[in-house]
Amino acid sequence: NKRGQGEIMNMRTGVWAGTALSLLLASAAQAALVSRLGGQAVYDTDRNITWLADANLAASNTFGVSGITDTGQMSWTTANEWTAAMNTANYLGYSDWRLPTTPQPDPSCNGQVGRDSYGYYCTGSEMGHLFYGELGGVAGYSIGMTYNDNFDLFSNVQAGLYWSGTSYAPISAQAWRFSFGDGLQGPSLKYYAYASRAWAVRPGDVIPLPGALWLLGSALGVLGAVRCKVQ
């Protein structure tokens, strides 16, 4: 009867909807790095953060902040001022850019002293995760020498130091930094302006989730139309 057929179609619709959602989520999970905003940003599905695709944007756009060299190097204080200026400018449509974080302690590091984690293999930090986990970096080697296809999603990646937004707890005058020249993590004096650069990141994706749900809703609409014809 029609009622029985309707119940069967409802069950099938639920199964198809669940399958569609699973495929959607699985697709996102499989692609750890995804190009966004026409190649201006890169979304990391593992950490749910979005990187600037230009790893040395400060060399070409200071956002009016002084103290940045022509090659993009700056002090830690200037690096924070630079991301703040990005937010004031609502760069790429967002105002929550920041420097990457370096959680402490980090058991993945090969150097451990008390609650300080340093050295190689520090995948707990956002930059370490990018270097080792996403770009295929190898400890002791420049990212420009050992990398995978994900490297092509970025531009102007420097084989040198980048500031973390995390201060070094034992010495307030220092902050953590990470080297894309060899995969080494450690602290550095915040005022030292001619060694480190800034690579901005923001939380979440730059494509809102409702866009993905809209695609799912469209699929469910088609399934609903089919169900109506059967009843």
Side-chain angles (χ1 to χ4, degrees), residues 101-126:
T101 58
T102 303
Q104 294 291 311
D106 178 0
S108 64
C109 296
N110 70 337
Q112 304 287 337
V113 175
R115 294 183 60 81
D116 296 333
S117 304
Y118 61 92
Y120 295 109
Y121 314 112
C122 299
T123 56
S125 71
E126 290 175 338

Side-chain angles (χ1 to χ4, degrees), residues 32-145:
L33 292 183
V34 185
S35 181
R36 294 290 197 237
L37 303 180
Q40 297 183 86
V42 179
Y43 176 55
D44 184 340
T45 64
D46 285 347
R47 293 298 179 90
N48 189 31
I49 55 177
T50 298
W51 294 89
L52 283 181
D54 187 343
N56 197 24
L57 178 65
S60 59
N61 191 344
T62 65
F63 294 97
V65 175
S66 61
I68 301 175
T69 70
D70 292 340
T71 55
Q73 295 167 314
M74 66 193 86
S75 70
W76 184 80
T77 300
T78 302
N80 282 281
E81 291 174 351
W82 181 70
T83 56
M86 287 179 63
N87 293 330
T88 299
N90 201 40
Y91 188 63
L92 298 181
Y94 293 90
S95 58
D96 53 1
W97 297 99
R98 58 172 174 78
L99 296 177
T101 58
T102 303
Q104 294 291 311
D106 178 0
S108 64
C109 296
N110 70 337
Q112 304 287 337
V113 175
R115 294 183 60 81
D116 296 333
S117 304
Y118 61 92
Y120 295 109
Y121 314 112
C122 299
T123 56
S125 71
E126 290 175 338
M127 286 187 287
H129 174 76
L130 181 65
F131 181 89
Y132 290 107
E134 306 294 8
L135 299 182
V138 176
Y141 291 87
S142 166
I143 193 61
M145 298 175 60

Side-chain angles (χ1 to χ4, degrees), residues 71-229:
T71 55
Q73 295 167 314
M74 66 193 86
S75 70
W76 184 80
T77 300
T78 302
N80 282 281
E81 291 174 351
W82 181 70
T83 56
M86 287 179 63
N87 293 330
T88 299
N90 201 40
Y91 188 63
L92 298 181
Y94 293 90
S95 58
D96 53 1
W97 297 99
R98 58 172 174 78
L99 296 177
T101 58
T102 303
Q104 294 291 311
D106 178 0
S108 64
C109 296
N110 70 337
Q112 304 287 337
V113 175
R115 294 183 60 81
D116 296 333
S117 304
Y118 61 92
Y120 295 109
Y121 314 112
C122 299
T123 56
S125 71
E126 290 175 338
M127 286 187 287
H129 174 76
L130 181 65
F131 181 89
Y132 290 107
E134 306 294 8
L135 299 182
V138 176
Y141 291 87
S142 166
I143 193 61
M145 298 175 60
T146 57
Y147 55 85
N148 57 29
D149 291 343
N150 285 333
F151 188 72
D152 294 333
L153 296 173
F154 299 95
S155 62
N156 300 320
V157 180
Q158 304 298 302
L161 298 171
Y162 282 90
W163 286 116
S164 162
T166 306
S167 291
Y168 181 57
I171 305 176
S172 61
Q174 297 186 8
W176 290 98
R177 52 52 175 173
F178 187 89
S179 174
F180 281 78
D182 58 8
L184 189 67
Q185 175 175 293
S188 183
L189 290 169
K190 292 179 178 179
Y191 64 78
Y192 194 40
Y194 299 101
S196 298
R197 294 176 169 84
W199 191 347
V201 66
R202 64 167 302 275
D205 198 352
V206 292
I207 294 182
L209 182 60
L213 294 179
W214 178 86
L215 293 175
L216 178 60
S218 297
L220 293 178
V222 172
L223 293 175
V226 172
R227 183 168 65 89
C228 289
K229 289 182 179 181

